[in-house]
């Protein structure tokens, strides 16, 4: 019998998750551009673009914690498929309204809010599912290759989306995104969750949330970085969702060059993931946090504003940097957080990181009117640098280290006993402090 040459950690679930992520990102990266230009095409201004962006992120914030608790209670793949179904319906209706020139601002806000609701339930379940699908010394490589595939699809999605918007308008790009959600949901329906131990009956949803909260606040490195990213994500989100399309319209020539700049970011994330598939920094959070500083470069480039080439270079560098942080962060979460609490802790992570995003996108338009676009963007750059420097003062962020794996035997989805390496072990001094 010929055995597959794929690595031991690249099991059936990992491959299905990767394939579904590729399909989803091909559609989503173009659709994010399409939504902004659909608002502009309908006669909206920067404030309207910000309102639609806020409508997407507000339900994401409101429902994340519930989504995380549910994903640790019921099979995670069912939560993921249901969320994909909701995203399919909302994006399909959005596409029809735009294609028929019937889209109004309230339509777009409602439909993007439904899409954000789907993401609120999907994200904690997906993160927990991915982390439970790999183990051993190669977890960093597995996460890096997953993100490499995901962002590689994002490169094509952003570039193709910008070109299709310029050629045919945003409606067809939204239709492609709807189809991508349908295909990805079908793939995720085949995920095997038999290897995940059944959850013991608990004290209810609120008890689950309290347990996840205790896990979250008990780790200084975790809540410090999440607090940092509540600010960073808010500022970057406003720059890319609101100011980026406006700068592209006023100075770069429209959707196509903005799509190319986003594609450059995708190339950067691809290169960063390629780097992290080979590099295992010992102080992973320290290295990851240092890489947050370059994330401010695109906002600076938009503030000048630089031409398409300069903006693309800034986006590329920030893409490399965010991927080094992302893989380091996922590796730390996998190492330190118990499997049965992964989705709940991930939900607090997502909640904290996105909590200020609705406010920042809603205020981006008024801030531009009061301070000017350039001043608002330079303010964002300054704040990102300051909060990142403050996080480096937390001892756990500087000192949390990668632990060697310990050998154990687990049962595969086919019932066969297999040898694996598990990275979770004794607490480090940094964790106990």
């Amino acid at each position: 019998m010929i055995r597959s040459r794929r690595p031991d950690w690249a099991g059936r679930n990992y491959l299905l998750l990767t394939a579904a992520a590729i399909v989803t990102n091909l559609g989503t990266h173009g659709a994010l551009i399409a939504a902004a230009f659909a608002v502009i095409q309908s006669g909206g201004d920067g404030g309207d673009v910000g309102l639609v962006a806020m409508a997407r992120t507000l339900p994401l914030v409101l429902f994340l914690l519930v989504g995380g608790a549910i994903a640790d209670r019921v099979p995670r793949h069912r939560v993921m498929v249901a969320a994909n179904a909701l995203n399919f319906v909302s994006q399909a209706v959005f596409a029809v309204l735009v294609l028929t020139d019937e889209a109004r601002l309230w339509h777009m806000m409602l439909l993007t809010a439904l899409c954000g609701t789907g993401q609120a339930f999907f994200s904690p379940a997906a993160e927990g599912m991915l982390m439970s699908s790999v183990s051993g010394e190669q977890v960093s490589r597995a996460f890096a290759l997953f993100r490499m595939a995901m962002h590689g699809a994002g490169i094509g999605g952003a570039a193709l989306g910008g070109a299709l918007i310029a050629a045919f308008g945003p409606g067809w790009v939204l239709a492609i995104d709807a189809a991508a959600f349908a295909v990805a949901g079908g793939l995720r329906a085949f995920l095997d969750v038999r290897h995940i131990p059944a959850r013991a009956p608990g004290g209810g949803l609120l008890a689950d949330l309290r347990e996840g909260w205790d896990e979250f606040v008990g780790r200084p490195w975790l809540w410090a970085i999440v607090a940092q990213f509540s600010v960073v994500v808010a500022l970057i989100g406003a720059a890319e969702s609101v100011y980026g399309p406006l700068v592209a319209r006023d100075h770069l020539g429209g959707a196509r060059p903005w799509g190319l700049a986003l594609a450059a970011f995708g190339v950067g994330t691809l290169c960063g993931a390629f780097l992290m598939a080979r590099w295992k920094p010992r102080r992973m959070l320290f290295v990851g946090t240092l890489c947050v500083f370059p994330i401010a470069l695109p906002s600076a480039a938009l503030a000048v504003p630089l031409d398409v080439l300069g903006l693309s270079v800034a986006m590329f560098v920030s893409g490399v940097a965010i991927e080094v942080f992302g893989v380091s962060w996922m590796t730390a979460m996998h190492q330190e957080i118990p499997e049965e609490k992964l989705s709940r802790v991930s939900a607090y992570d997502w909640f904290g990181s996105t909590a200020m995003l609705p406010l920042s996108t809603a205020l981006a338009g008024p801030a531009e009117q009061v301070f000017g676009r350039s001043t608002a963007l330079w303010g964002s750059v300054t704040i990102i640098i300051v909060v990142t420097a403050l996080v480096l003062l937390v001892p756990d962020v500087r000192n949390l280290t990668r632990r060697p794996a310990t050998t154990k035997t687990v049962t595969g989805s086919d019932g066969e006993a297999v040898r694996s390496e598990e990275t979770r072990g004794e607490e480090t001094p940094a964790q106990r402090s």
Side-chain angles (χ1 to χ4, degrees):
M1 185 178 186
I2 298 175
R3 295 183 62 87
S4 171
R5 292 187 177 182
R6 71 189 185 195
D8 292 339
W9 47 262
R12 178 171 176 268
N13 279 358
Y14 179 84
L15 296 178
L16 282 171
L17 288 167
T18 303
I22 291 172
V23 173
T24 303
N25 277 269
L26 279 171
T28 299
H29 278 70
L32 291 174
I33 308 172
F37 279 91
V39 177
I40 295 173
Q41 178 180 285
S42 68
D45 57 14
D48 294 329
V49 174
L51 286 174
V52 172
M54 179 198 69
R56 182 185 182 92
T57 54
L58 184 58
L60 176 63
V61 172
L62 292 176
F63 294 113
L64 265 171
L65 298 182
V66 176
I70 290 176
D72 275 340
R73 277 179 165 263
V74 302
R76 289 171 181 150
H77 69 309
R78 294 182 182 175
V79 179
M80 296 166 71
V81 172
N84 284 166
L86 177 59
N87 290 148
F88 161 69
V89 172
S90 63
Q91 291 297 79
V93 174
F94 196 173
V96 170
L97 290 176
V98 173
L99 288 169
T100 58
D101 293 324
E102 295 295 331
R104 303 293 180 265
L105 181 61
W106 73 268
H107 292 150
M108 294 184 278
M109 292 181 66
L110 174 62
L111 292 168
T112 53
L114 289 175
C115 200
T117 301
Q119 187 179 354
F121 285 87
F122 174 84
S123 296
E127 193 156 318
M129 194 73 206
L130 176 63
M131 291 184 184
S132 70
S133 70
V134 297
S135 64
E137 292 283 1
Q138 300 301 321
V139 292
S140 292
R141 175 170 293 181
F143 294 146
L145 292 177
F146 174 84
R147 293 170 69 96
M148 189 185 304
M150 181 178 67
H151 293 309
I155 297 169
L160 181 61
L164 288 176
I165 293 168
F168 303 107
W172 287 108
V173 177
L174 293 167
I176 292 172
D177 188 38
F181 276 120
V183 173
L187 290 171
R188 289 164 177 143
F190 291 99
L191 291 168
D192 188 347
V193 297
R194 286 178 295 174
H195 67 288
I196 301 177
R199 294 336 188 239
L205 188 65
L206 290 178
D208 284 353
L209 290 174
R210 284 196 298 270
E211 189 176 0
W213 174 252
D214 291 341
E215 192 75 28
F216 177 78
V217 298
R219 302 173 186 272
W221 60 269
L222 182 57
W223 59 255
I225 290 179
V226 170
Q228 170 202 13
F229 267 78
S230 69
V231 177
V232 173
V233 170
L235 297 175
I236 296 300
E240 293 189 357
S241 299
V242 181
Y243 298 137
L246 294 176
V247 171
R249 180 197 65 184
D250 296 341
H251 300 283
L252 303 180
R256 187 187 299 270
W258 180 236
L260 291 174
L262 291 177
F265 176 82
V267 174
T269 60
L270 192 63
C271 292
F274 184 80
L275 170 65
M276 293 304 289
R278 288 157 176 76
W279 183 34
K280 298 180 181 179
R282 182 170 177 270
R283 291 195 293 168
M284 45 196 170
L285 289 182
F286 178 67
V287 171
T289 302
L290 288 178
C291 287
V292 178
F293 289 106
I295 298 175
L297 288 175
S299 295
L302 290 170
V304 174
L306 297 181
D307 59 14
V308 177
L309 178 60
L311 176 60
S312 296
V313 170
M315 295 285 275
F316 172 83
V317 173
S318 69
V320 174
I322 194 60
E323 203 59 22
V324 173
F325 171 82
V327 174
S328 300
W329 179 250
M330 292 184 72
T331 304
M333 291 273 285
H334 180 275
Q335 174 177 289
E336 301 295 327
I337 307 300
E339 193 280 333
E340 69 275 8
K341 300 177 183 177
L342 276 172
S343 288
R344 277 169 288 172
V345 174
S346 294
Y348 279 106
D349 172 18
W350 277 87
F351 175 80
S353 298
T354 58
M356 294 176 62
L357 190 54
L359 182 62
S360 70
T361 51
L363 294 179
E368 179 185 20
Q369 295 175 358
V370 174
F371 303 108
R373 188 183 301 164
S374 179
T375 301
L377 285 164
W378 281 121
S380 297
V381 172
T382 303
I383 294 171
I384 290 171
I385 292 173
V386 170
V387 297
T388 302
L390 290 174
V391 167
L392 288 173
L393 299 177
V394 178
D396 285 5
V397 173
R398 300 193 307 272
N399 300 327
L400 185 67
T401 58
R402 186 186 304 269
R403 295 200 300 272
T406 56
T407 304
K408 73 174 186 176
T409 299
V410 298
T411 302
S413 59
D414 57 359
E416 179 183 357
V418 295
R419 182 176 180 272
S420 70
E421 303 294 325
E422 179 60 51
T423 56
R424 296 187 180 107
E426 294 299 319
E427 289 185 330
T428 61
Q431 182 182 337
R432 290 194 297 267
S433 65

